[in-house]
Amino acid sequence: MGPHPAVAAIRLAVRRVLHDVIAEHAAQTERAGRAPHPELARAGSGSRLGTLPDRPDTPLVLVACSGGADSMALASALAFEARKLPVRAGGVTVDHGLQDGSDTRAAEVAARLAAMDLGPVEAVAVHVGREGGPEAAARDARYAALDTAAERHGAAAVLLGHTRDDQAETVLLGLARGSGIRSLSGMAAASGPAGRYRRPFLQLDRQTARTACLAQSLPVWDDPHNIDPAYTRSRLRHEGLPALEKALGKGVVEALARTAQLSRDDADALDTWAAAADRDVRDEAGRLECAKLYALPPAVRRRVLRRAAIEAGSPAGSLFARHIEEVDRLVTGWRGQQAINLPGRVEALRQGGRLVIRQS
């Protein structure tokens, strides 16, 4: 008798990602002038392998695990699949220090990961600041810790347990902020430096992960912050989405996840177009020509302007749509306006038919 359907689903999702990581690692090894081990080539092509010993030339994949159902299901699937593939598997849990006993809980999670035969395993304590609000600050601290752990251990990838439900919430949060299509595209299946972060569960719902934990008798910790109405995502999860499903019927989460993928495809295409257009709208000195910018479709032009602002030193995370709209008016609604101040002490001004974006 095979595994429970939920367990089979999470394992398949992780297996697919591991095959991608192995294939990419083999390609990098070849580019570096070293012959990849035959087991890596076979695994990257999808061949089944028996149990393999750890090898120093196999890629290391870490799982980020909070102890919640999503990440515990992910950790169990990684541990199971890694035994059959030329890949090393470890885990990291981050102690945000926001609740009493969080250090003890992090140590317990690390012990559970080690009991799954994952290694290396570590619990990392972080300091959560206040910039951007509590949720954003905690997220920034968490990713900084994961980046540091990945670099310290030389990990090829870090697996994250975000589900289709998380994706739907992210799309709605972007919609509520009035963000552009890139924000509506939600979370990518692979993101971060060189695609470090992988999200195998974006096509699976949260209940599948929880059911998989129950089927395997995995202990799960439910973070009280996830039901605290003080947090925007928590309110959306427990009030907003249920209200939408009540008004619109079931299938809202699936529809939002599809919207994310369609938006991502469109945003990627527009970004590619903007990158090519950026070269065509500059003069011989590399200055942006307003007449050529004006001729571009608005979605492409604003991407060119955003790229230019970031290159001039404006932090991407602080550069909002309203900033780019003001800069855009220097091109499309020129009436002798003064320079536009942007985050990062960057200014945009129009001079003699040229748009100048520079440090002020």
Side-chain angles (χ1 to χ4, degrees):
M1 183 176 179
H4 188 283
V7 176
I10 65 170
R11 289 177 178 175
L12 176 60
V14 169
R15 188 183 315 143
R16 287 170 171 165
V17 169
L18 292 182
H19 279 302
D20 289 343
V21 172
I22 292 166
E24 291 163 13
H25 181 78
Q28 291 172 0
T29 300
E30 285 191 18
R31 286 196 295 270
R34 305 189 306 272
H37 193 277
E39 292 167 346
L40 290 176
R42 287 175 55 205
S45 66
S47 300
R48 299 283 292 178
L49 298 172
T51 302
L52 296 168
D54 283 346
R55 297 181 56 91
D57 58 346
T58 57
L60 170 66
V61 177
L62 299 175
V63 58
C65 185
S66 66
D70 302 341
S71 58
M72 285 298 293
L74 183 60
S76 71
L78 173 61
F80 181 85
E81 294 297 331
R83 298 187 190 106
K84 303 180 293 180
L85 295 170
V87 63
R88 294 171 292 138
V92 179
T93 185
V94 178
D95 172 19
H96 297 86
L98 298 177
Q99 302 169 27
D100 291 339
S102 62
D103 55 342
T104 300
R105 191 173 302 110
E108 291 172 352
V109 172
R112 291 172 190 166
L113 297 178
M116 294 179 183
D117 292 330
L118 295 177
V121 168
E122 62 177 302
V124 181
V126 298
H127 171 72
V128 177
R130 296 184 177 182
E131 186 174 354
E135 292 169 281
R139 181 176 61 251
D140 290 346
R142 179 167 60 253
Y143 276 101
L146 293 175
D147 277 335
T148 299
E151 290 163 9
R152 181 168 58 252
H153 295 295
V158 178
L159 305 189
L160 304 176
H162 296 122
T163 65
R164 187 169 61 192
D165 300 79
D166 296 306
Q167 184 75 298
E169 293 162 7
T170 301
V171 172
L172 285 175
L173 289 169
L175 184 63
R177 289 192 297 266
S179 302
I181 193 172
R182 177 58 70 185
S183 182
L184 297 183
S185 66
M187 296 174 285
S191 65
R196 168 180 292 160
Y197 294 107
R198 309 296 176 105
R199 298 176 174 87
F201 290 175
L202 286 182
Q203 301 301 318
L204 301 177
D205 61 22
R206 189 174 289 137
Q207 187 57 45
T208 296
R210 185 167 289 274
T211 301
C213 289
L214 290 172
Q216 299 174 95
S217 300
L218 294 175
V220 169
W221 173 65
D222 290 316
D223 187 346
H225 284 170
N226 289 336
I227 58 173
D228 187 343
Y231 296 96
T232 304
R233 186 177 286 269
S234 175
R235 294 195 303 274
L236 179 59
R237 180 174 302 176
H238 299 287
E239 301 174 21
L241 270 173
L244 282 175
E245 290 194 334
K246 183 177 180 180
L248 303 176
K250 295 293 183 180
V252 170
V253 168
E254 292 86 344
L256 288 168
R258 285 196 302 273
T259 296
Q261 185 57 58
L262 293 170
S263 298
R264 181 166 297 280
D265 292 343
D266 290 348
D268 288 345
L270 287 168
D271 285 347
T272 300
W273 187 354
D278 184 86
R279 298 187 294 269
D280 298 333
V281 297
R282 294 180 182 271
D283 61 17
E284 294 180 355
R287 296 173 299 181
L288 293 166
E289 297 188 62
C290 293
K292 292 180 178 179
L293 284 169
Y294 186 87
L296 292 174
V300 178
R301 181 175 60 246
R302 289 173 182 170
R303 279 170 165 76
V304 172
L305 298 179
R306 179 179 174 81
R307 285 165 56 95
I310 292 172
E311 288 173 0
S314 194
S318 303
L319 196 60
F320 301 134
R322 66 177 184 273
H323 295 126
I324 302 304
E325 289 169 1
E326 289 298 320
V327 177
D328 195 39
R329 289 192 185 96
L330 296 177
V331 177
T332 62
W334 174 243
R335 299 183 306 278
Q337 299 97 308
Q338 297 297 312
I340 305 298
N341 294 318
L342 301 174
R345 299 179 62 83
V346 171
E347 66 175 8
L349 64 158
R350 181 162 172 159
Q351 292 180 337
R354 303 293 188 272
L355 187 66
V356 179
I357 302 178
R358 65 191 182 191
Q359 283 284 323
S360 59

